[in-house]
Structure formats: structure tokens, C-alpha cells
Amino acid sequence: PGFCPPYKSDALNLPKEMLQCIETFKSFYDLRTSHRRLRWVHSLGSATVLGQFRPAGKVKEHDLMVSTYQACILLLFNEADAMTFSDIQGHLNLPPDELKRYVLSLCVGKYKILNKSPAAKEVESTDTLTYNVGFADRARRIKVPMIAAKITQEEKDATRATVDEDRKHAIEAAIVRIMKTRKSLDHQKLVLEASTQLMRHFKPDPKQIKKRIEDLIHREYLERDANNPNLYKYLA
């Protein structure tokens, strides 16, 4: 059976242009099947928005390749040339911290599709965003990149701890697999074989392998040979 990973849903208010597209596709889809239900995961979506600009008073069009959230922000400017951040949030109903990243990608990133006042790299609810009528670029098609989310030290530490824990279990599983097959093996050969197996996933630290061997001995998965402390035996 297939597996569909869970995705975070949101309460995004789509602009009317997108709602019309969704309704059209839903009508088509419902005619094809009555056993499946459509679910829109906006965080995975992308769109191409036709932007019309007037650099030096001359009309120029660009195909802006953007995420669904970026597209929603841009489409709001079909109704108004200027909006505050608070207005945009009220229209789209996205969490402020998430929305700030998408707004910044459109006004302080590589392509300044919007202008922001004041022009700081932080976004306040009272900041005003305007359609950058003078935007120009040599390329017709432009992929507007996202700004990476800021990761706190706490989040980095939590990720590191999770990775270390996963690697600890992977090292132990490799040692047990090898010893179950070999029954007995000296320290250097066990470290070498475990390293070779684990290399497909990550580069293991020999000190970590030694530490996991010690822990497996303590938990009575392995034992040292009575006459040779560098020789390990598997305990069934």
C-alpha cells in the first residue's frame, strides 16, 4: 500500500482568482471519480503569475514562478497598489511569522517585485508594501526564491540530539547484525565492518562505535573473551 506523509494544513484565504481555478478543477475531478476527495496542501504548491510592469514608462511583462503563498500575496495587488502587512495578513489569514518570510522574499530578496516602507529587513504590522511598477529584469521567466527560515539555537540542538540518537541506534543495530552472523570477532574487525555497513548512511566515528560496543557488553548482548579482551562474543 502507498504511504502519504502528513502535511500541516492551514486556514489560508485564497484570492478569488485561485478559488475560481480550484472550483473549475474540482468540478472536472468530481465527474471522474466519486470515491476520492481532493485535499489542497498549499505549502507544496507553486504557480506562475503574469506580472506587468512599467520600467522607464515602457510596459514589460514577466512570468513570475512563485510558491502558492507568494502568488496569493501578489494577487492582492490586483485590487490595490499599496497595503500594510496587517492588511495582507487579514486577507490571507496566515500566521504572522510565516507570512513575514514570504513577504520578505518579494521585497528584499533577489527580485524586488514589491517595495516595502520602511525598507528594513524586519517586517512590522504597520509596514506598507507597494507594487514595484519599475521592476525590470533581462529574463522573461523569473523564479522568485524563498528566504530561508531562521533556525534558533534551541532548534539546532534538538535536531542534533535527534540525529545523534538515530545514529546511536543504527550503530548498535549494525554491531548486533555482524556479531549475530560472526559469533565472535576482534575489536578492529568489528569496527571496520560496522563502519563499512554504516557508510551508506553516514560516516561513523570509531569512538562512537567503541562506545556502543561497551554499552552492548553492559546490556549483555556481547561479552569479552576471558583470555583476550579485544575479542568479542555474541550472546544469543
Side-chain angles (χ1 to χ4, degrees):
F3 171 71
C4 186
Y7 292 107
K8 186 173 71 173
S9 58
D10 56 42
L12 174 66
N13 290 330
L14 291 167
K16 65 179 187 296
E17 295 92 337
M18 286 192 176
L19 285 173
Q20 289 165 0
C21 294
I22 281 178
E23 287 305 317
T24 301
F25 183 79
K26 187 175 183 300
S27 299
F28 159 77
Y29 189 84
D30 288 346
L31 288 173
R32 308 269 298 194
T33 178
S34 58
H35 306 296
R36 294 176 182 173
R37 187 167 60 88
L38 280 172
R39 181 188 168 210
W40 300 93
V41 183
H42 302 124
S43 59
L44 301 179
S46 62
T48 300
V49 177
L50 177 63
Q52 191 176 88
F53 306 92
R54 289 180 177 271
K58 187 178 178 183
V59 175
K60 189 170 184 182
E61 293 185 339
H62 291 285
D63 295 319
L64 306 173
M65 301 163 68
V66 291
S67 71
T68 298
Y69 295 139
Q70 288 171 317
C72 288
I73 294 166
L74 291 174
L75 289 172
L76 292 177
F77 288 88
N78 281 337
E79 309 298 326
D81 288 338
M83 302 184 81
T84 65
F85 176 80
S86 185
D87 291 336
I88 293 171
Q89 192 194 352
H91 279 291
L92 300 183
N93 196 35
L94 281 173
D97 288 343
E98 196 171 346
L99 182 58
K100 283 177 183 178
R101 283 179 54 227
Y102 292 100
V103 166
L104 284 171
S105 71
L106 295 167
C107 60
V108 301
K110 185 177 179 182
Y111 302 105
K112 294 176 177 59
I113 312 299
L114 303 177
N115 291 322
K116 186 172 85 68
S117 178
K121 289 195 175 182
E122 297 297 325
V123 181
E124 303 296 336
S125 61
T126 54
D127 287 359
T128 301
L129 293 126
T130 54
Y131 154 64
N132 182 8
V133 67
F135 174 79
D137 193 86
R138 291 173 65 185
R140 161 78 192 212
R141 289 171 64 84
I142 296 169
K143 183 171 175 58
V144 182
M146 265 304 298
I147 289 176
K150 288 182 180 176
I151 300 172
T152 65
Q153 190 58 46
E154 190 177 323
E155 288 172 323
K156 287 180 184 176
D157 292 343
T159 302
R160 179 79 257 172
T162 302
V163 170
D164 288 345
E165 189 66 17
D166 289 346
R167 288 184 175 183
K168 182 177 85 173
H169 293 310
I171 291 169
E172 288 186 356
I175 293 167
V176 170
R177 277 196 305 270
I178 292 162
M179 292 303 295
K180 198 171 184 179
T181 304
R182 297 297 197 92
K183 305 305 180 190
S184 68
L185 206 61
D186 69 50
H187 178 80
Q188 290 299 331
K189 287 182 180 176
L190 178 55
V191 170
L192 182 62
E193 285 202 30
S195 296
T196 302
Q197 280 195 19
L198 294 163
M199 275 292 200
R200 286 171 292 176
H201 309 290
F202 62 92
K203 188 177 179 180
D205 182 350
K207 290 178 183 175
Q208 280 297 317
I209 296 176
K210 184 180 179 183
K211 196 173 179 181
R212 300 308 350 130
I213 291 170
E214 294 294 339
D215 199 56
L216 288 168
I217 290 170
H218 178 71
R219 284 151 53 200
E220 298 184 346
Y221 282 88
L222 310 177
E223 68 174 0
R224 281 192 171 87
D225 183 82
N227 300 316
N228 182 358
N230 280 325
L231 185 66
Y232 305 119
K233 292 181 178 179
Y234 178 70
L235 297 175

